Structures are given as C-alpha cells and as structure tokens.
Amino acid sequence: MQTEIKTLQQGLDEAVSLIKNGEVVVFPTETVYGLGANALDSNAVRKIFEAKGRPSDNPLIAHIADISWIDRLAKDVSEEARAVIKEFMPGPITVILKKSDDVPDEVTACLDTVGVRFPKHKVAREFIKACGVPIAAPSANTSTKISPTTAEHVLEDMRGKVPLILQGGACEVGIESTIIDMTADVPTILRPGAITQEMLAQVLGKVKTFDGKIVVAKAPGMKYRHYAPSCEMVVAKSAESAVEEYRRQYKNKVGAVVIGKSNYLDGIEDVLRINFIDLGDSDAEAMRNIYAAMHKAQERYGCIICQDFGERGLGASIMNRINKASGGKRV
Ligand code: TXA
Ligand code: MG
C-alpha cells in the first residue's frame, strides 16, 4: 500500500470516501495525530487495531465535530459532565461517559463506557464534519512507539500501513488529551494532559487523580508500556546530575543528549560542548516539543537525559509521559 501525505484541500474528498468505504485515514489534532475510522462500523474499527498492532482490549476514543453528536454516542450524561464539556470542548480533553447502544464493542473494548473527544484543530474538525460520523482514533503510531506530532512522524512509522495522512503541521499541544472519567463517583483523571487537575477542579469542585492502584487497565501505560523511544532514557534530578550522567555515558561510548527547557540548559556549564535539545521557555512549549525531541533524539543518540519537570500543573502532565518513556529511571 502506498502512503501519501495530502493537505485538506487536496485530500478531503479522498479521505471522506475512504472513511465511507470502511478504511482508515490519519488526521491531525491539536494533541497528536490520530489514526481514524468510522466509529459506528466494527469492521472499519478493526482495521485500526491491525494497522497499529494494538491489543484489542485497549479501548479507542470517539472523535466528534459538534457537541450535539455526544448524544449519538453517550447516554445519561450528567450535569457535571455537561459542565466539563461546555468549558473545555472543543479542546485537548476526552470525557468518559456511559455509552449508547450505537457504539460497537470494538471501540470500547466491551466496556459500557465510551471516551468522547471534540478536537479543536481545524483540519480535524473539517475532516470529521465532512465524514458525518464519529471517528474512532488512537494516536497514529504503531503500538508502544512515540505518539506522532507531525505528519512526517506518522509517515516514518506507518508507511505502507495507511493510505492517506492529512497534513496539519506540528501539533500545538503536543501530548495526548487529558482523560477524565465522568462515570466515577468522584470525577477521576485517568490520564493527565493540557487540561490540568487544577482547571478541572475549578469546574467540578472535586476531582481525583489516578493513584496508581487500579488493577483494571483504564488508561494507557497502566497496563502497556507506552511512549517509549527506541533508545535509553533517564530523568535527571538536576543539571549537575544530567552532566554527570552524560559523562558516564560518554565513557561507555554511548552518545547522549540532554533535553530540557532553555533555563535548565542555561544552568549547564559549557552547554555548547554537549549534545542538547532546547524545548523552549515555558512548560507549554516543552509540552509541545517533547515528543518531537524524543523522535529526533532516538534517531541520533543512544541515551536521552531529560529534565525533571516537577509535580505541578503542566509539568506533571509532561512528567507522566516522561516517566513512562524512561520506565521511571532517574539519575
Ligand atoms: O489526544 C488524544 O487523546 C489522541 C488524539 C488522536 O485524539 N488519542 C489518543 O488515543 O491518545 P489513544 O488510543 O492513544 O489513547 C486513548 C486511551 C486508550 O488507550 C484507553 O486507555 C483510554 O483512552 N480510553 C478510551 N476509552 C476508554 C474508556 N471507555 N474507559 C477508560 N479509558 C478509555
Ligand atoms: Mg497512544
């Protein structure tokens, strides 16, 4: 199969006819690129799992192009859930709701709930709207690989496995959506993201963060290793320990790279003599750039040494991904 990258203008008609014929299409969102199929067609949804090599007991998110579509996918939507939807959609959030009878088991992995997301990205919205059906989509990477934040990342990973990638440039948010379970007694964050606990608490009063003790897999990384670069990755607690680790790797003939925000790198003496990737000035920029930096680093280096972004706000969301990518290894 040939894989082509096309702009919305060049590729929209083809994308819509692929979806109508039960095939998959890759499309950009503001978080990461998604690998989409008609969420109401079980056979089409199965093709997502095939292309991704993903275990079919991991449920998919259904993407919509208008708030009104929620009632096609979900039932018994609470007032609290509606408040979250009103505040944050369209945007980088997925809301877990009780599923309607129209949603096939292939999407929800037989759960009685469904994850619903209304992306903000213009290309995503126009594509989904033109299809006229909700689009089930995981991130457009093969299972366990880093999520793609450019069309070129997707091509590198999925060439020959998908017919069409819609071009949408670099994703602005850069990590996957926040997932909040609105069917739990206390609304519970299953995966942190750009919509933070603090922001959700403003609307809900009370939210629970995932505490690591749930046994049933409810969000990625709890059961499957996720977001892993092909090289080693460690988190450095300080700029000094980053440099120490860099030297240790060098002695072992491993080319390493330090990645962090500008002010972190500024704290490294002689930074120009080491390999580094600058993630930008703010946590929002670091979040936007982190996956692209991991993609670049894994191609060139044997070890990624990454800044610790702390436990609060966007920093906590970035760390959630980094901890998984590094397997929790710290220096
Ligand atoms: O930003 C995103 O959310 C991206 C873009 C493409 O929208 N999508 C994404 O999908 O990250 P994926 O499949 O890589 O991660 C979605 C995760 C699933 O792995 C699953 O654990 C969780 O969402 N999920 C989906 N439906 C669920 C449900 N009903 N209950 C609990 N967790 C669910
Ligand atoms: Mg994923």
Side-chain angles (χ1 to χ4, degrees), residues 291-302:
Y291 281 150
M294 282 160 64
H295 274 282
K296 189 162 143 194
Q298 73 179 1
E299 277 167 29
R300 304 185 190 173
Y301 305 106

Side-chain angles (χ1 to χ4, degrees), residues 27-35 52 54 57-63 92-94 96-97 107-108 111-117 119 137-141 147 175-179 181 190-191 217-222 224 226-227 321:
F27 64 100
T29 82
E30 69 276 24
T31 57
V32 300
Y33 277 68
L35 170 58
K52 225 179 129 72
R54 174 182 176 124
D57 62 344
N58 199 359
L60 304 175
I61 295 169
H63 297 69
I93 190 164
T94 297
I96 306 292
L97 302 167
V107 172
T108 62
L111 296 173
D112 60 359
T113 56
V114 60
V116 180
R117 167 152 144 70
S139 49
N141 50 285
S147 297
I175 67 172
E176 300 84 349
S177 61
T178 302
I179 301 180
D181 184 354
L190 301 180
R191 179 174 73 182
K218 276 202 145 187
M222 292 173 191
Y224 305 104
H226 244 77
Y227 322 116
R321 308 308 194 275

Side-chain angles (χ1 to χ4, degrees), residues 191-254:
R191 179 174 73 182
I195 307 295
T196 60
Q197 183 191 3
E198 292 85 348
M199 291 159 78
L200 285 161
Q202 291 264 319
V203 175
L204 291 168
K206 200 156 118 192
V207 291
K208 221 197 270 178
T209 40
F210 174 68
D211 62 8
K213 283 185 201 130
I214 295 176
V215 180
V216 181
K218 276 202 145 187
M222 292 173 191
K223 189 166 158 196
Y224 305 104
R225 182 167 136 95
H226 244 77
Y227 322 116
S230 52
C231 66
E232 187 185 358
M233 182 158 170
V234 299
V235 177
K237 59 178 180 292
S238 65
E240 292 78 52
S241 52
V243 172
E244 237 172 73
E245 178 66 12
Y246 189 90
R247 296 219 173 96
R248 201 183 66 77
Q249 295 283 355
Y250 185 82
K251 263 194 208 142
N252 293 333
K253 303 204 165 40
V254 177

Side-chain angles (χ1 to χ4, degrees), residues 38-312:
N38 180 354
L40 305 178
D41 175 348
S42 344
N43 284 325
V45 172
R46 266 186 228 122
K47 291 195 181 149
I48 295 176
F49 289 97
E50 250 167 59
K52 225 179 129 72
R54 174 182 176 124
S56 59
D57 62 344
N58 199 359
L60 304 175
I61 295 169
H63 297 69
I64 58 175
D66 192 274
I67 298 280
S68 64
W69 291 22
I70 288 174
D71 296 311
R72 296 160 77 173
L73 297 167
K75 59 183 180 191
D76 307 337
V77 180
S78 67
E79 283 310 308
E80 273 190 318
R82 298 225 182 254
V84 169
I85 289 162
K86 182 154 176 251
E87 183 70 25
F88 299 113
M89 284 191 189
I93 190 164
T94 297
V95 176
I96 306 292
L97 302 167
K98 210 156 176 210
K99 89 175 191 80
S100 79
D101 298 337
D102 294 345
V103 184
D105 284 344
E106 281 78 5
V107 172
T108 62
C110 299
L111 296 173
D112 60 359
T113 56
V114 60
V116 180
R117 167 152 144 70
F118 179 8
K120 198 170 196 165
H121 196 294
K122 189 169 163 283
V123 174
R125 290 173 69 162
E126 291 199 11
F127 161 64
I128 300 165
K129 194 167 139 208
C131 291
V133 288
I135 300 292
S139 49
N141 50 285
T142 51
S143 204
T144 80
K145 293 277 174 58
I146 304 168
S147 297
T149 56
T150 65
E152 292 71 27
H153 290 159
V154 180
L155 187 62
E156 205 177 287
D157 186 19
M158 309 233 33
R159 195 194 290 273
K161 293 182 179 147
V162 296
L164 176 63
I165 302 167
L166 290 176
Q167 178 61 271
C171 301
E172 214 174 294
V173 173
I175 67 172
E176 300 84 349
S177 61
T178 302
I179 301 180
I180 181 150
D181 184 354
M182 294 303 303
T183 68
D185 289 344
V186 178
T188 301
I189 296 171
L190 301 180
R191 179 174 73 182
I195 307 295
T196 60
Q197 183 191 3
E198 292 85 348
M199 291 159 78
L200 285 161
Q202 291 264 319
V203 175
L204 291 168
K206 200 156 118 192
V207 291
K208 221 197 270 178
T209 40
F210 174 68
D211 62 8
K213 283 185 201 130
I214 295 176
V215 180
V216 181
K218 276 202 145 187
M222 292 173 191
K223 189 166 158 196
Y224 305 104
R225 182 167 136 95
H226 244 77
Y227 322 116
S230 52
C231 66
E232 187 185 358
M233 182 158 170
V234 299
V235 177
K237 59 178 180 292
S238 65
E240 292 78 52
S241 52
V243 172
E244 237 172 73
E245 178 66 12
Y246 189 90
R247 296 219 173 96
R248 201 183 66 77
Q249 295 283 355
Y250 185 82
K251 263 194 208 142
N252 293 333
K253 303 204 165 40
V254 177
V257 60
V258 177
I259 70 180
K261 283 190 291 187
S262 312
N263 61 357
Y264 180 84
L265 297 169
D266 287 345
I268 295 180
E269 224 177 291
D270 234 6
V271 72
L272 294 177
R273 293 183 50 193
I274 69 166
N275 304 315
F276 68 89
I277 299 175
D278 190 336
L279 296 175
D281 290 326
S282 62
D283 282 350
E285 275 180 68
M287 185 160 88
R288 185 179 310 143
N289 295 324
I290 187 72
Y291 281 150
M294 282 160 64
H295 274 282
K296 189 162 143 194
Q298 73 179 1
E299 277 167 29
R300 304 185 190 173
Y301 305 106
C303 177
I304 301 170
I305 303 166
C306 185
Q307 171 178 6
D308 185 340
F309 288 88
E311 289 164 7
R312 300 181 47 179

